[in-house]
Amino acid sequence: MNDTRLVLLLNTHMPQVLSTGPLLDEPENWLFEALTETYLPLLRMLTRWDARRFTGTWVMSFTPCLVEQLLTCEARYTQYLHLLGRIATRELERTSRLELYNRSERYPQARSEEDMDRLHRTAGAYLRRVEDSLAFLREHSLRDVLGQLGRETPPGVQLWTSTPQHNFLPFFTPATADRFVARGVESFADVFGRAPDGLWLPECAFQPGLERVLTRRGVHRTALSLQGIGAYLPNDPSGVFRHDALEVLVHDYRVALNLWKSPEATFPSHPVYREFFRDLGHDVVPEYFDELGVPIPAHKRGQAWTGIKYHAVSGANVGLGHKALYDVEAARAQVPHHVRAFWELLDARRALVQDGRTFVLAFDTELFGHWWHEGIDWLEGVLQPETSPALPLPAPPEPPAVPRLYYSTWGRDFYSEHWLTPDNCWMYALIKQLEAHLPPPEGPEHQETWRLFELFSGSDLPFMMPDPSQRERAREMFLERYTQVLSRLPPFAPGLLAAYPVDPFKCLLVHVGVPGDGPAPPFVLQRLSQEDARAQNPREITLEPEVVDVAGLRVCFQYFLLHPLGHYALRVEGQAPVHTFRMPDYGVPLLITQDGQALPKYDTQSLYQQLGEIWEGDERLPLKAAPTVRSRHVYTREALEGVLRGRRAAVFKYNKEGYALLRFREQALAPPRIVFDDQMTLEDAGTYIQAGPTAVPVSNDPEAIARHDFDAVIFTSSLNFESEVPHVRALLEVATRRGLPVVSLYDDILYYDLFEGLDVDPERFYRVAVPEQDALAARKPERYPPRNVLGVFGTDTVQGKFTTQLYLREALARHLRVRHHATEPTGILLGADTGYSRVLHVELSQRRAFERRLMADLAEGCDLVLTGGQNGLLYTPPGGTRRDNASTLIYGTYLPRLVVLTVAVDTPAQDVRATCEYLDTLAREHGVPCEVVGLAMMGGRKLHGSRWTETWFLGVRDEVLDEARHRLARETGLRVYAIPEEADSLARAVLTRL
């Protein structure tokens, strides 16, 4: 615990529920119950805060609409407490004798003395809570409490603001989002007397561009989900990061699920804790409240919510009617166990955070006390332990930089589908219709219009629509607020075309118009060229939208699958306006299972096949079905030396292969002179590797290609995205005009239809691969295996296999004759004797025969052959087993006697042990010895970007690396070598085993 830093964010929000109607009516009860059970207990905790007892950061964010209600609700809340006190006093009396108790029970039953004693003690606890709340209000004004909290914020506590009505910012124009952020900052200063320490984005919802809105308004701290930094793999790190001037706190759902949203496994689901969903108002006869003189609205008779609950969770499969009685003392005794379990959980999950120490967790504040009755006690046990004050941790270092932020939320699939459903999409259409006609926010005459629009466009009513119990109320309130805003705007003709991204592949198309007698006119959707949005013959399809007639308008909408980064035009048949839009670029949507596993929402391969069928065979890219020419295939250094030796290369693109060409320029056949990328610039390139600017410029301007001096072109990846086409075409035009050699590490560049008007000489195009004729002509070696093969393989979730090979090769070459076979095609450009990732169009048995002959020939003339795997040995490819992964096939082909395993700072020891056991199994099956020499660890960690071609690198502090190395060495019995610093030591360990 002493070396763990917790950053706990509590999003404190309540929609506009304060009423003038009957008390004990929803949804106003939500506010009063939250005040009694959550807000006042937290304010009390802050008054006795001891900063020495907590070495992390507690963030309390407040939405302006909640704060406004807190400042105006005291009189009405006091009435509510007196009413509740009347009920609690009667309950204390009623639970004193069984006959009194059963007189008001809807279903009288036998109760033991022990049961009655337990009920009586629980009733007494509720009465004391009411009395404590009334005492707090007598001693404090909520306005004064909040003002003092702002002026005298305790150390270790931060106060954040949010948008006025919890408005879901990605659905608004940048100008409207800017206004909402400005209002959040201004309203916070009015109450707390200073600027906020950060801003909570409602629903953690972010889209690129909002970072500029925040910093422009003086906000330099916010929170995002893991997807917000492009992370979506199981072990991608969370924690505190920096993006330009913005500090980004990245919430870790993998840890947070232990407290919320996973009913069968969370702390609040423990059987002894209080059950939320069974209330006194459901268990007593309606006349009970009549006798007390407590007015209950007619629609709530028999189902009123009082906040007094007598039952325990009892178990996930126990129905509400069979719950055991709640035991206050037993629940209180369980809390310290869950405090300890929480710190143990963090300790076990250190590999999930970027510095091995700092955990960022975000929750709705109302989870503690309101939903989870014992949550306040648990929270105080975590934030203010009763043991001696924690030893202070050193000041946290500068957070590592992330080069990009991505569209994301903390919802079900980390995108918008949770908030944009067929039940509520018409509401967003009306919101956007009014947004388009709002007056400028400047000027006092428009302030009331904007205030009403803020309330109307809040996220809560659309969020309530999918819930059948709330749907009608939400609809009525929404339409009432719509009318209020509309009445303040000048008359306008209805009409709106819009598109909302639901996730990277799904989009909601919307049209707002005037109702008609017949069916709605069809949508016409065109796919435009990425390069030219004014294409003369764009691809086009017709859609029949669904229709909702509401508020004198006809809202037509259609959910549809589109290509990530695709450029589209939407119009309504027979109408002139056209809405053009581009699908954004962000990562893989995930679905979270009950046990916290993240699964892809889509089968991407079948989805792209479906997209191809929708768009009449369109495969996203200009791919030739039957190319007339093919590149020449190369896979040996000698073959490429005559092509590239002494040349200066232009590289596309700056992915991990492109970075390797820069990092090992000394070994490159054609050192890079310039790198082009469709998204990245030189400034991004330094961030990519957690270093300063690279010496080689990186440009994303296709117009600049013709102006640079280079005499070879290297493509480090296949053509995967339409946004890459202009850069690739420009490079090919220059290469063809100048007669330059073109080397593609993966797919044949001549397969793409990018050469219109160019005189192509296929003799100048090369692909790093083995042609089928070479593989088919290879004879099997007479005997196998060689004894001098060293393999570098990875455990399940790590990096550095190829880099370790290069450093180890150079270190070993100082002592013996080394040859290198690289299973990554980049290797052939960086000194490997042979290198490729693909053998074309041959069966596996013939491929193995060719590759074994290749290895036998390499091994015959040297002391050691170095090779390696691709993915992790434990990786299970979709639809297969780990025996189908590339590394298993590579091991089974070359059968290395010595193996180096690569690990990362977050590699679990059990993965290393499992990998060693798997290698032992494979070696026994093949009848060969196999020894793991040691573990190689790189000084950083990978972070996947939004595209499968992107891999960012995050720096890791030296002490974290050292701690990880010691942990793995201790738990696996294998020495861990830091790469590149200890490459020589690793080489000596190899030499001793030859």
Side-chain angles (χ1 to χ4, degrees), residues 42 113 154 223 319 522 524 533 585 634 721 743 775 831 924 932 935 956 962:
L42 288 181
E113 290 186 10
V524 179
D585 172 22
V634 291
F721 298 94
V743 176
R924 286 195 305 273
V932 176
L935 309 178
V956 176
D962 290 342

Side-chain angles (χ1 to χ4, degrees), residues 235 791-799 801 869-876 882-883 885 887-888 891 896 898-904 907-924 930-936 968 971-972 974:
N235 284 340
V792 179
F793 291 88
T795 52
D796 194 24
T797 57
V798 299
Q799 63 194 47
K801 295 176 290 296
Q870 292 182 355
N871 46 31
L873 274 165
L874 300 182
Y875 170 68
T876 300
R882 68 174 58 166
R883 289 180 177 270
N885 72 47
S887 283
T888 298
Y891 176 86
L898 299 177
V899 167
V900 171
L901 291 177
T902 58
V903 293
T907 301
Q910 59 263 32
D911 282 359
V912 177
R913 291 192 293 267
T915 303
C916 292
E917 292 171 1
Y918 185 43
L919 281 171
D920 286 343
T921 300
L922 294 175
R924 286 195 305 273
C930 180
E931 179 184 0
V932 176
V933 177
L935 309 178
L968 283 177
E971 296 181 15
T972 66
L974 295 167

Side-chain angles (χ1 to χ4, degrees), residues 534-554:
R534 300 177 300 280
Q536 295 300 310
N537 297 300
R539 286 153 285 188
E540 180 176 291
I541 59 177
T542 301
L543 306 173
E544 298 294 332
E546 298 183 52
V547 176
V548 174
D549 288 328
V550 61
L553 301 170
R554 171 162 287 185

Side-chain angles (χ1 to χ4, degrees), residues 617-790:
D618 171 30
E619 298 295 336
R620 309 195 310 279
L621 299 166
L623 182 67
K624 288 187 176 181
T628 55
V629 294
R630 291 197 315 184
S631 298
R632 302 168 68 182
H633 298 130
V634 291
Y635 57 93
T636 66
R637 183 177 59 200
E638 289 79 7
L640 266 187
E641 278 184 335
V643 176
L644 291 179
R645 177 65 71 187
R647 290 183 180 269
R648 306 172 313 280
V651 176
F652 184 87
K653 53 191 281 174
Y654 194 74
N655 49 17
K656 59 186 177 66
E657 288 86 357
Y659 168 57
L661 293 176
L662 297 189
R663 184 173 188 175
F664 298 102
R665 291 186 70 204
E666 295 77 9
Q667 289 101 306
L669 290 178
R673 175 64 63 91
I674 175 73
V675 180
F676 293 100
D677 191 283
D678 60 315
Q679 291 190 322
M680 212 171 304
T681 65
L682 179 59
E683 181 179 352
D684 298 319
T687 309
Y688 183 100
I689 58 172
Q690 289 291 295
T694 63
V696 178
V698 179
S699 170
N700 64 1
D701 180 10
E703 301 296 328
I705 289 174
R707 299 195 295 268
H708 280 273
D709 180 25
F710 53 88
D711 53 12
V713 176
I714 297 172
F715 290 105
T716 65
S717 72
S718 306
L719 188 58
N720 290 300
F721 298 94
E722 220 176 336
S723 59
E724 299 169 348
V725 171
H727 301 76
V728 174
R729 190 191 300 277
L731 280 166
L732 293 176
E733 288 176 353
V734 171
T736 303
R737 189 169 60 251
R738 298 181 188 173
L740 308 182
V742 177
V743 176
S744 180
L745 297 185
Y746 291 95
D747 287 348
D748 189 342
I749 199 66
L750 294 180
Y751 272 61
Y752 297 97
D753 190 13
L754 301 173
F755 296 91
E756 184 179 353
L758 300 177
D759 185 14
V760 178
D761 180 3
E763 294 297 308
R764 294 186 176 276
F765 287 79
Y766 300 85
R767 177 187 182 187
V768 179
V770 177
E772 57 267 39
Q773 59 267 27
D774 283 20
L776 292 171
R779 69 188 191 284
K780 294 181 180 180
E782 295 178 1
R783 65 183 189 82
Y784 198 88
R787 298 176 178 273
N788 57 341
V789 179
L790 168 67

Side-chain angles (χ1 to χ4, degrees), residues 816-827:
L816 42 70
R817 295 172 300 165
V818 180
R819 287 184 174 173
H820 184 197
H821 171 66
T823 59
E824 299 282 353
T826 320

Side-chain angles (χ1 to χ4, degrees), residues 514-531:
V514 178
D517 295 332
F523 285 172
V524 179
L525 185 63
Q526 297 174 336
R527 181 153 188 233
L528 307 176
S529 165
Q530 184 79 16
E531 305 157 282

Side-chain angles (χ1 to χ4, degrees), residues 196-210:
D197 298 309
L199 184 138
W200 173 261
L201 296 167
E203 312 301 357
C204 246
F206 176 86
Q207 67 175 352
L210 283 175

